[in-house]
Amino acid sequence: MAPAVDPLIDRCRAAGQPALADALAALQGDPRERLAAQVAEIDLELVAELCERFVGSEESHQLGAVEPADAIALPETEVDRQRDEIARERGEQHLGEGKVALVLLAGGQGSRLGFEGPKGNFPFAPITGRTLFDFFAARIDALRMRYDTALPWFIMTSPVNDAITRETFATADYFGLDPDSVHFMVQGTMPAVDATAGQILLEAPDRVSVSPDGHGGLLGTLRRSGALDLMADSGIETLFTFQVDNPLVRIARPQFLGHHLFAGAEMSSIAVRKTVPEENVGVIAKIDGRAGVIEYSDLPAALANQREADGRLSYWAGSIAIHCIERGFVERLTDGRLGLPFHRALKKVPHVDASGQLVDPVEPNGIKFETFLFDALPLAHASVTLEAAREEEFSPIKNAEGVDSPQTARVHMNRLYARWFEAAGVPIPVGADGEPVDLEIDPRVALNADELRDALPDDFEVTGPTALGLSTMVEG
Ligand code: UTP
């Protein structure tokens, strides 16, 4: 039933949104109903609270008492390696028992990459042009075969990219996965407000400008969509969460699962060493005695530059947004109003002005509100931070060019696969730039160096760009 518009107009005025009230009052017929339906879904009181905090002021953070993260470092000794081995076995057991679900965060807008459509459709692979979704699906298929387990895959989309993401999977026959094993869930949105007066912006006279409410929206989405219930019914205990733009992610890495389980952790994270103090990654640290992530813009320079006696950065633990999260933890956090704090992002937000003219700003003019998944970390009773080697696990595709771009991801993947080949005794030619030639390995052929060694015939050679696939073994 259409919401009654007059009370809604009053609510807008009461919540400090006179511009929206006027916009509603100015419309008639269908456009009025369309806008009213959208406004009725907005938590106007929450928006008022956020505007009070964020509009016209810099976001200020009280950091609390900060110490470097307690982390499980990369193995150096035989004892460390044995510890990792035991963790791996524990993780594999958990996988084999069907207690793990995979959760992909794919609701972002990917504006920095500037690619049309969901980022998962980005054809990152240098030879086959396979997309991120396709590649993740192949890894998941390989893991399911390896551990003979269901390993359901939950994908969080946003209202902006949900339909096209589903269509992508349907058209591609779910990239060979059983359609019943892939579950889509749509995250929520928040309206954008103008940065000076906190008025909700309209992208058309009858439409509010909304954007996804951040990856922290995952927690509420898991509950609202019924995914948590589905997981409970199928015996899932642990969620492995990862982002859509990191092709190097080692999905459901058993060691990580094992360490998380041994510690009785509710939420755990993977960290890589920061390259330089000013690198733009959030840092995992201990804040008031609990694990948490400090955004790079909030880490005071003195801490960012602080070093240990051995010269290494004290705040080294760059978060790469890979987590193990217990289902019970998500249930606890979402059993009532979710407490994740909102952050503000200053962005260029095209909108219509009071006279109905479209404004395409050249400077950031609007504020978007987002929550971050890592803000759940301090709420966990126990948490593990596991160090990983960056070159093995992390090369995100964020920007169209330069750092963290398709180009850097391609180089890092080539280097990774070159190391695998070389460990199997197969030399890899380098190109004029001194980098290995383009290499691809279908995850169904091998998920790591050991598996590649076992899969390769004795006389295998690489003489140029090579894509190792299941059926062809060598293409390219
Ligand atoms: P980013 O922080 O890189 O944001 O997301 P983004 O929207 O994808 O990209 P930009 O900033 O516009 O260039 C990190 C991960 O979190 C997911 C993204 O899909 C990506 O996997 N994400 C982000 C969501 O699922 N929902 C959101 O609201 C935001």
Side-chain angles (χ1 to χ4, degrees):
M1 208 181 72
V5 180
D6 288 339
L8 203 53
I9 292 176
D10 293 342
R11 263 189 65 209
C12 289
R13 292 198 198 285
Q17 293 295 337
L20 187 57
D22 291 346
L24 265 171
L27 292 175
Q28 301 294 331
D30 285 352
R32 181 179 165 104
E33 284 192 6
R34 268 197 298 277
L35 184 60
Q38 206 188 358
V39 174
E41 292 297 311
I42 297 174
D43 186 342
L44 291 168
E45 289 67 36
L46 174 63
V47 174
E49 213 176 291
L50 295 174
C51 287
E52 170 90 26
R53 217 164 86 215
F54 290 130
V55 174
S57 67
E58 288 296 306
E59 188 174 358
S60 68
H61 283 274
Q62 303 294 328
L63 251 189
V66 183
E67 296 165 77
D70 280 333
I72 301 176
L74 285 173
E76 284 178 6
T77 63
E78 201 38 49
V79 173
D80 294 343
R81 274 183 277 280
Q82 277 170 13
R83 173 207 64 191
D84 256 20
E85 203 39 35
I86 295 168
R88 183 177 64 78
E89 282 167 14
R90 179 70 187 89
E92 288 185 338
Q93 182 194 356
H94 207 55
L95 281 164
E97 288 169 354
K99 292 181 175 166
V100 180
L102 307 173
V103 178
L104 174 66
L105 304 174
Q109 294 181 301
S111 44
R112 283 170 288 173
L113 183 61
F115 173 70
E116 262 309 301
K119 226 192 220 186
N121 280 354
F122 184 72
F124 78 102
I127 301 171
T128 60
R130 89 190 303 176
T131 65
L132 289 157
F133 280 145
D134 183 2
F135 186 60
F136 294 144
R139 285 197 97 119
I140 291 167
D141 197 25
L143 288 163
R144 288 177 180 173
M145 288 189 281
R146 183 81 26 87
Y147 299 109
D148 189 19
T149 189
L151 207 57
W153 187 14
F154 292 80
I155 301 176
M156 183 171 82
T157 61
S158 77
V160 183
N161 68 17
D162 182 65
I164 174 141
T165 303
R166 288 175 199 250
E167 196 184 305
T168 298
F169 275 74
T171 311
D173 278 335
Y174 287 73
F175 304 103
L177 300 176
D178 176 355
D180 291 340
S181 70
V182 182
H183 310 271
F184 297 96
M185 35 184 201
V186 191
Q187 73 174 104
T189 57
M190 284 293 285
V193 302
D194 85 85
T196 42
Q199 294 302 293
I200 289 177
L201 293 168
L202 299 178
E203 64 180 18
D206 59 351
R207 210 165 53 239
V208 172
S209 171
V210 294
S211 50
D213 58 4
H215 41 64
L218 173 69
L219 301 176
T221 305
L222 284 167
R223 181 173 279 270
R224 270 196 319 276
S225 66
L228 274 184
D229 294 335
L230 192 62
M231 288 177 185
D233 290 346
S234 23
I236 299 296
E237 291 178 2
T238 309
L239 286 62
F240 175 91
T241 70
F242 61 111
Q243 301 197 333
V244 74
D245 48 22
N246 177 18
L248 257 57
V249 55
R250 284 191 281 183
I251 298 172
R253 186 172 153 225
Q255 280 93 337
F256 182 35
L257 284 163
H259 284 299
H260 167 82
L261 294 168
F262 279 139
E266 288 189 307
M267 177 168 178
S268 297
S269 315
I270 299 275
V272 299
R273 276 200 178 269
K274 282 178 69 171
T275 46
V276 287
E278 40 293 323
E279 189 185 351
N280 288 359
V281 289
V283 163
I284 302 177
K286 250 196 315 190
I287 308 163
D288 293 329
R290 287 173 167 270
V293 171
I294 308 173
E295 277 191 273
Y296 60 85
S297 49
D298 294 334
L299 185 68
L303 294 186
N305 287 287
Q306 187 178 313
R307 290 183 188 270
E308 300 297 295
D310 62 3
R312 293 173 139 199
L313 293 174
S314 302
Y315 292 91
W316 61 270
S319 169
I320 58 171
I322 294 173
H323 301 286
C324 282
I325 306 179
E326 287 304 287
R327 175 177 52 79
F329 180 52
V330 183
E331 277 167 1
R332 174 158 74 76
L333 292 189
T334 55
D335 190 19
R337 194 174 182 191
L338 186 62
L340 292 190
F342 275 89
H343 299 251
R344 68 165 213 165
L346 198 59
K347 303 259 177 163
K348 285 188 248 175
V349 184
H351 60 281
V352 291
D353 63 17
S355 63
Q357 288 298 314
L358 189 67
V359 183
D360 198 2
V362 278
E363 294 295 329
N365 63 310
I367 295 178
K368 295 184 174 183
F369 301 112
E370 294 188 333
T371 59
F372 297 152
L373 185 55
F374 59 66
D375 278 325
L377 266 180
L379 307 172
H381 292 319
S383 172
V384 165
T385 302
L386 180 69
E387 181 183 356
R390 175 187 295 255
E391 63 276 14
E392 300 283 319
E393 194 133 351
F394 183 56
S395 187
I397 298 175
K398 297 281 184 197
N399 307 306
E401 286 171 2
V403 289
D404 296 343
S405 64
Q407 179 55 20
T408 51
R410 170 180 175 164
V411 168
H412 294 147
M413 290 217 74
N414 286 337
R415 289 184 191 165
L416 175 74
Y417 290 148
R419 287 195 297 277
W420 291 10
F421 273 113
E422 278 160 7
V426 180
I428 296 297
V430 293
D433 57 359
E435 289 294 340
V437 293
D438 284 335
L439 299 169
E440 285 185 43
I441 299 173
D442 188 301
R444 295 162 173 120
V445 172
L447 279 166
N448 55 43
D450 290 344
E451 291 183 10
L452 181 65
R453 194 184 45 237
D454 293 346
L456 288 179
D458 283 347
D459 54 354
F460 194 83
E461 279 184 24
V462 173
T463 53
T466 299
L468 222 56
L470 253 197
S471 49
T472 50
M473 206 55 177
V474 185
E475 308 158 354

